[in-house]
Amino acid sequence: MVLFTKQWTSGLLISCILLFGHAQAGIFSNRASNDDSSSSSSNNNNNNGGGATKEKSVVTQKMDYKLSFKIPYVYNGTIPFWSAGGDTITALDRIRITPSVPGTKGRIWSDLENNYEEWMVDMSFAISGNHLNGGRGMAFWYTQDKLPEGPIFGAKDQWKGLSIWFDSADPKTHAPSIMAFLNDGRFSFASAGVDPTKQALATCAIDYRNSNGYVKMLLTYKNRVLTLLLDPTSRGKNYRPCFRYTDIDLPTGYHFGLTAASHNPADDHDILSFETYQLNPPQKKMDHKRPLEEEKIKKGEEFQGLTAEQLKKIEETEYEIRRLREQSNEAPIEIEAAATMGVLFDTERRILETLQVTQLQIEALGAPTSQQVLSGSFVPKPAAGKQEAGGISADHLRTETQTILKRLEQQSNHNDQQLRTLKDTMSKMETLLQAMDNRMALQTNNLQGKLSEITKDSAEAKGTMSTLIKYILYACGLQGVVGLAIYLYWKLRVEKNEKKFL
């Protein structure tokens, strides 16, 4: 009965899912068509209602997930397609390149090269500290190689490519600044007497340290123009231009990277997300539609909503599902018993199907049906041993029927034997568990008794030792008194002898 109820519930669930799927397909198709129509009308400046010609929207940018990372950062213990090193800490909500500990350096680099001629980086970061001035800063890199640890904000000097410094500890202004540099791998910025500001491509002085929340950075390279936008206050709603540098060549095949360094006082340098986009990607060609796809789209566009009858069926199905769930919660069934009942039910169903097939085969050979047997309206067949028109004798049919019955009986006996074996196994396991419990209880009692004896012996030994120590102390005291008396006596004798000579 329980299995039948579950099967009926599954049927209701499948019907409900199909009905909802059809409804949602129509609704979403209708919305998609409306969105496409509105997009097409705005692009063509043609307000012709539903008769406007639909055009495919042009994709201007496409994100590359292999050159990006965001929450959740870690998969199988690593950041996919990125390598972190130094003092970098990966948390649940951010990647801390360097913590607010003096002398720390961290880095994170993309394992794959950037093969896009035009690209954009959308990054969210935060640089914060408890002191008035910053604690060194962070650098964005687009270089030919992944740089090891070095003096330039935690990266190697004399790099080949682009570097943008977020210097929060400018020694001249003591205010956060941003500077962009281009190096061919020969110039050393860390050499003594070098002023980096004189080598900068572009600079700006937007305050990004200790912002409210996080800072949004938008770096775009398009048509040989490098543009940096920054929003330190409104999380990407109000970008401010930082710099725009033209006629710059940034080749493909370079790596993106981020490094940071903390001096004393130190800052936290956090990266919340790093997303790389390809600008003006090749447009995807329209694939051929599948069979009957046009008709399905048309049906979805004509769909206006669920009818009252469909809504009523959905409500009835939901009510029935809730009722069955409540019944199942009120009368829980053990998993083993349910599995056993399922096996028995399946076996009985197979036996019934076999009997039905056998009955149909016998009726096809001319045997009377069950209704004819019950009513008695059938003509007896000739004696055994004689063959019918089809060439099959009644003895043969009887033999086959007995064989089938024997097989069914053997299968039923086999199932009974399996059930008995299962019950015997469970009984043995219960006996074994009970014996183990008794043995554990006995061992526990023995251990408690031994512990009590050990405690008692320890107490007696302790008392004996204390008595012995007392005796030793008494003997030492007595010897001291005797010695003192002897010494006083000797001293008096000496003094008396001295008085005699005087």
Side-chain angles (χ1 to χ4, degrees), residues 303-376:
F303 182 79
Q304 300 297 329
L306 297 174
T307 62
E309 184 179 357
Q310 291 174 338
L311 292 173
K312 185 178 180 181
K313 289 182 178 180
I314 292 173
E315 292 177 357
E316 293 177 354
T317 305
E318 291 178 348
Y319 172 76
E320 192 64 30
I321 291 172
R322 287 195 299 270
R323 186 180 64 82
L324 293 174
R325 284 179 178 174
E326 291 175 357
Q327 290 181 356
S328 62
N329 291 332
E330 292 176 358
I333 301 174
E334 296 183 359
I335 299 176
E336 293 82 1
T340 305
M341 292 296 295
V343 172
L344 294 177
F345 176 78
D346 185 67
T347 304
E348 293 176 357
R349 183 175 58 81
R350 293 178 183 274
I351 294 172
L352 181 61
E353 291 177 354
T354 305
L355 291 175
Q356 290 176 351
V357 171
T358 305
Q359 182 180 357
L360 292 175
Q361 291 176 350
I362 294 174
E363 290 179 357
L365 296 174
T369 62
S370 57
Q371 290 81 3
Q372 292 177 348
V373 173
L374 293 175
S375 60

Side-chain angles (χ1 to χ4, degrees), residues 166-213:
F166 295 85
D167 191 353
S168 57
D170 193 329
K172 294 182 178 180
T173 62
H174 299 288
S177 62
I178 301 174
M179 294 178 285
F181 300 91
L182 199 63
N183 198 348
D184 58 358
R186 293 177 293 181
F187 188 80
S188 176
F189 284 84
S191 300
V194 175
D195 186 2
T197 58
K198 296 180 179 180
Q199 306 293 331
L201 299 178
T203 62
C204 71
I206 299 177
D207 190 358
Y208 49 80
R209 186 171 178 267
N210 288 333
S211 61
N212 185 15

Side-chain angles (χ1 to χ4, degrees), residues 408-424:
L408 294 176
E409 185 177 359
Q410 291 176 357
Q411 188 173 4
S412 178
N413 294 333
H414 180 67
N415 293 332
D416 294 339
Q417 183 64 28
Q418 287 183 345
L419 287 175
R420 286 193 296 270
T421 304
L422 181 61
K423 291 180 179 178
D424 294 340

Side-chain angles (χ1 to χ4, degrees), residues 205-242:
I206 299 177
D207 190 358
Y208 49 80
R209 186 171 178 267
N210 288 333
S211 61
N212 185 15
Y214 56 86
V215 182
K216 291 287 291 184
M217 185 201 79
L218 207 61
L219 181 65
T220 306
Y221 177 69
K222 183 179 180 181
N223 297 328
R224 300 181 67 239
V225 177
L226 185 67
T227 306
L228 178 63
L229 303 177
L230 214 66
D231 182 6
T233 57
S234 57
R235 302 185 179 185
K237 297 180 182 178
N238 185 19
Y239 280 102
R240 296 165 55 186
C242 181

